[in-house]
Amino acid sequence: MTRTCAIVGTGAIADVHARSIAELGDRARLVGVVDLLPERAVGFGARWGVPAHPDLAALLDAHRPDLVHLCTPPGSHLPLALEVLRAGAIPVVEKPPVLSLAEFDELRRAEVETGLPVVTVFQHRFGSGAVRLRELVARGALGRPLLAAAHTLWFRDDDYFAVPWRGKWAVEGGGPTMGHGIHQFDLMLSVLGPWSSVTAVAARQARPTDTEDVSAAIVRFESGAVATVVNSVVSPRQTSQLRFDFELATVELEHLYGYSDADWSLTPAPGAADLAEVWAGGPPDTPSGHTAQFTALVDALDGGGRPPVDSADTRLTVELIAAIYASAFTGAVVRRGEIGAGHPFHADMTGGREPWPRWER
């Protein structure tokens, strides 16, 4: 069965989506595109051989696509995803999926009403290294998880934030905690499971933004594991790092924007059995990326199952973001489940306050 796909928003990430759809061969087909700037939509459509449409409603009416890929700024995700769901299609939403927990809970209610899932793009979950690690953890082959680190240390200069929607709470929902480090700590959560509490700080160190440009958190997990999560856009030597210390081994990943098996390493604990053969087993080398996730998505749909990274998974990640901001801006320890309807950080990642003076642009 060929899944028909449409793309909303034709910025740089849209080409990644279109390429990944093309790489699925006859399993998926791009059928249309829309953008707020009609000339940009026409150019994108010409590049990928599909028609451009004046708006989302026209696109949905013309093609009745199975999947609609939302590649727009985060502030537009909720209304677009709701429109897609109510038209009978599955939204595939770039990160961050929404601006707040309240918005995500609204999406989950729409899932129930329509019977259709919302898919969040968390492509780092789908590289073979991550799949292998989760399998080993599930088998108990590495022992109990004890300590972890998820550090996203990137560099974005002032020009990067000159784009009007970047660095603004109302449009992006947050800084590197929301839009950059999310992939690393989402992958960490997929390995370690539910988190239980957070203590955090956030700061605007150097960039001309309304949001933070640095955050750091200590996260406790239900398993008893403890992790550090650091997110930055002021780090000249860029790196994306994950480290997991289990009873029997340390597993590490270092890359930048995507990884293959070569970017992972395993170090057995002194006196522990050599786990090299165990680590070498598992799935063939598959780089992390959109193609890997979209393949898994189509596999799930063809099998009649729910897409991987369901809304319950994504909510754990979005709730962690809200908890990091809540702890950073109040100085309190924040526990999972604490931020619900009526809580100031449920509707707004700032808790309805200005954490520091606005940057004069």
Side-chain angles (χ1 to χ4, degrees):
M1 177 179 181
T2 300
R3 303 286 172 176
T4 54
C5 306
I7 290 177
V8 182
T10 58
I13 198 64
D15 280 298
V16 176
H17 281 246
R19 189 176 307 111
S20 294
I21 292 166
E23 288 173 354
L24 293 179
D26 61 4
R27 303 189 71 193
R29 178 168 58 91
L30 185 63
V31 296
V33 63
V34 65
D35 193 283
L36 284 175
L37 299 176
E39 65 278 10
R40 197 163 74 171
V42 169
F44 184 93
R47 191 157 66 248
W48 291 101
V50 296
H53 295 272
D55 54 41
L56 178 55
L59 183 152
L60 292 169
D61 184 62
H63 302 289
R64 304 293 178 189
D66 300 309
L67 303 166
V68 179
H69 297 241
L70 303 184
C71 302
T72 57
S76 65
H77 288 171
L78 176 64
L80 291 173
L82 292 174
E83 184 175 355
V84 168
L85 285 170
R86 289 163 183 161
I90 296 172
V92 179
V93 189
E94 265 295 338
K95 57 81 185 170
V98 289
L99 299 183
S100 68
L101 266 180
E103 287 195 354
F104 196 77
D105 288 343
E106 185 174 350
L107 266 188
R108 296 191 80 190
R109 288 191 292 272
E111 278 189 317
V112 174
E113 292 168 5
T114 62
L116 294 167
V118 175
V119 177
T120 303
V121 177
F122 282 140
Q123 71 271 21
H124 286 344
R125 289 189 179 216
F126 295 90
S128 51
V131 173
R132 179 183 296 109
L133 178 56
R134 285 193 295 269
E135 290 174 350
L136 293 177
V137 171
R139 286 164 40 195
L142 303 176
R144 187 164 56 92
L146 305 174
L147 182 66
H151 294 175
T152 304
L153 307 175
W154 291 359
F155 187 86
R156 298 291 184 267
D157 61 16
D158 291 1
D159 288 344
Y160 173 86
F161 292 103
V163 175
W165 58 268
R166 287 183 176 148
K168 294 182 178 179
W169 293 105
V171 186
E172 283 202 287
T177 316
M178 189 74 160
H180 300 83
I182 187 172
H183 281 308
Q184 303 310 314
F185 57 75
D186 173 76
L187 177 50
M188 179 184 71
L189 292 176
S190 80
V191 173
L192 295 182
W195 59 275
S196 58
S197 67
V198 174
T199 303
V201 296
R204 187 178 64 187
Q205 298 287 69
R207 295 294 171 259
T209 64
D210 296 334
T211 65
E212 88 287 359
D213 54 22
V214 169
S215 70
I218 299 172
V219 183
R220 291 185 177 275
F221 287 81
E222 288 186 358
S223 66
V226 176
T228 59
V229 176
V230 179
N231 309 292
S232 167
V233 287
V234 299
S235 302
R237 188 183 82 80
Q238 297 192 95
T239 183
S240 304
Q241 300 170 331
L242 279 169
R243 175 175 173 138
F244 300 92
D245 290 329
F246 298 91
E247 289 177 307
L248 302 179
T250 292
V251 178
E252 295 176 273
L253 168 65
E254 183 164 7
H255 65 113
L256 189 51
Y257 302 134
Y259 63 80
S260 67
D261 278 0
D263 298 308
W264 291 83
S265 66
L266 181 145
T267 305
D274 187 352
L275 295 167
E277 288 188 14
V278 174
W279 178 252
D285 188 0
T286 301
S288 66
H290 290 68
T291 302
Q293 179 166 359
F294 296 166
T295 299
L297 169 58
V298 172
D299 286 345
L301 294 175
D302 287 352
R306 299 283 291 182
V309 193
D310 63 17
S311 61
D313 294 324
T314 300
R315 195 183 191 283
L316 275 176
T317 300
V318 176
E319 186 180 9
L320 178 60
I321 296 169
I324 289 172
Y325 285 127
S327 178
F329 297 148
T330 67
V333 176
V334 178
R335 291 171 175 78
R336 187 165 64 87
E338 183 178 326
I339 303 176
H343 191 286
F345 285 87
H346 184 249
D348 187 332
M349 292 296 183
T350 69
R353 67 189 68 197
E354 291 284 351
W356 36 68
R358 284 186 177 272
W359 193 281
E360 295 299 328
R361 295 173 183 264

